[in-house]
Amino acid sequence: MDKKKLIAIGVAAIAVAVAIIVAAFALKGAQGGSEEGPATTDATQAQEQIEQTADADEGGDAVEQSEDENARELTDEQKALIDGYSDEEKQICALLAASTWTASKETATVVFTEDSFCEYKNGEQAKGEPRRYAISAVDSSSSVESGVNGERVQTDDVTLSLLLDDGQQTIAHLITQTSTSSELPGITVSSNIFEDSSSYLRVKASKGLSVEGLNSQAVELMGGKQDELKSKLTEWCAIAYPTASIASWDGKVEVNYNTNLLQTSFMLNNQANSRVTVVYDMAYGEFSVDTKAGA
């Protein structure tokens, strides 16, 4: 199969993924308040991810601040590449930015905009500033296999040549697996430029975080600031553990009156059942997350 045909197949695969997302939006709008059945649950995945990003921005502006205010400047060469993007390259950047990406068991996450990316581990930004990127070339390959149950699985590997803000050239792979047994394709992004994980999987992000189990005595020790506690946990989990939807209190509070610090923990309902420790400064009335405590 010649190179042009392979590239066309890769473009078509991405176009199918985007078309499914658009169709899901249209279907949700047309159905209005009707009950959503199993067949449409996966089809709303991308929309819920976008809604989760909006929820995180309202909670603390953490994502937007990290990517826009602290990111390095685009170089003139990068700007020229971006100005000349094809429709295919624009689609790829839009897919990266609209999705939530995590490593296995959410040990790390990567957040994309259409021209930058930043890795996070335990909710903390990786070393250095968010990196700016521009696509300089795209190549594609495709293969089709039959699964054990007779399903047809197509794998499309879109190879991206990226120019980074320090002039470095690197390669990233956007791999899409489409199966006749699933509604939406599975997509991973991998590159040797990533520090905390070699690859990240597109996942379904939660639409918010519910804090459960706190009793009145614990809330009183926190100055009655239950809403501020929820806001801090929601903001932090949107980056560190984006699939978590429930934070369950472990029932323990430790208070150090010498330092005026209160410490308590919550168990999340993500795949790894991660443990998050929150510190409340009783002197200043402020919450923080202890990223060094057990996850």
Side-chain angles (χ1 to χ4, degrees):
M1 187 179 293
D2 63 40
K3 184 176 179 181
K4 289 184 178 179
K5 190 170 182 181
L6 289 174
I7 294 175
I9 292 172
V11 175
I14 294 176
V16 168
V18 174
I20 292 172
I21 292 171
V22 173
F25 292 166
L27 179 59
K28 187 174 182 67
Q31 290 181 333
S34 61
E35 184 176 354
E36 189 175 28
T40 63
T41 299
D42 289 339
T44 60
Q45 174 177 340
Q47 182 177 3
E48 292 182 355
Q49 290 171 352
I50 294 170
E51 290 172 352
Q52 168 66 14
T53 302
D55 289 343
D57 289 343
E58 292 174 5
D61 227 14
V63 177
E64 187 173 341
Q65 184 180 24
S66 295
E67 294 169 353
D68 295 339
E69 295 183 11
N70 297 330
R72 305 175 189 183
E73 294 293 327
L74 287 165
T75 66
D76 291 340
E77 189 175 358
Q78 286 178 312
K79 290 177 182 177
L81 287 171
I82 292 171
D83 289 342
Y85 273 175
S86 65
D87 288 343
E88 173 195 13
E89 289 164 333
K90 291 177 182 178
Q91 276 188 336
I92 291 170
C93 292
L95 178 63
L96 289 171
S99 302
T100 300
W101 306 92
T102 75
S104 175
K105 295 187 177 180
E106 293 185 290
T107 54
T109 59
V110 61
V111 176
F112 283 92
T113 70
E114 294 189 4
D115 61 16
S116 71
F117 68 88
C118 186
E119 289 182 279
Y120 294 84
K121 190 168 186 178
N122 293 330
E124 291 190 322
Q125 185 175 309
K127 295 179 180 178
E129 300 170 333
R131 302 298 305 272
R132 292 294 183 110
Y133 73 90
I135 299 173
S136 58
V138 178
D139 197 3
S140 302
S141 63
S142 182
S143 63
V144 178
E145 297 179 354
S146 295
V148 293
N149 297 318
E151 70 272 19
R152 181 176 176 272
V153 180
Q154 177 171 324
T155 301
D156 299 288
D157 184 353
V158 179
T159 302
L160 308 174
S161 297
L162 303 179
L163 175 64
L164 302 181
D165 44 47
D166 61 357
Q168 180 182 356
Q169 293 275 357
T170 191
I171 298 295
H173 292 274
L174 191 61
I175 299 175
T176 304
Q177 284 196 322
T178 308
S179 173
T180 54
S181 63
S182 62
E183 293 288 332
L184 284 177
I187 304 178
T188 60
V189 59
S190 62
S191 176
N192 59 11
I193 197 64
F194 295 145
E195 296 183 5
D196 293 322
S197 178
S198 60
S199 65
Y200 292 89
L201 174 68
R202 188 180 73 165
V203 297
K204 179 179 179 179
S206 70
K207 296 178 66 174
L209 188 74
S210 173
V211 178
E212 299 182 352
L214 275 175
N215 61 27
S216 58
Q217 291 93 336
V219 173
E220 184 177 355
L221 285 171
M222 298 176 195
K225 297 184 176 182
Q226 189 170 0
D227 291 341
E228 287 87 341
L229 169 65
K230 179 180 178 182
S231 178
K232 173 57 69 174
L233 280 171
T234 300
E235 172 189 334
W236 192 81
C237 288
I239 292 294
Y241 303 114
T243 64
S245 60
I246 299 174
S248 300
W249 184 49
D250 69 358
K252 300 175 184 177
V253 173
E254 296 180 14
V255 179
N256 185 329
Y257 287 103
N258 291 322
T259 59
N260 280 323
L261 296 179
L262 176 152
Q263 183 171 295
T264 191
S265 297
F266 297 83
M267 190 68 69
L268 304 179
N269 67 333
N270 60 337
Q271 182 182 1
N273 291 128
S274 303
R275 181 171 173 266
V276 178
T277 298
V278 175
V279 176
Y280 177 66
D281 188 321
M282 296 186 295
Y284 292 94
E286 296 177 350
F287 289 97
S288 61
V289 174
D290 184 357
T291 59
K292 307 251 185 325

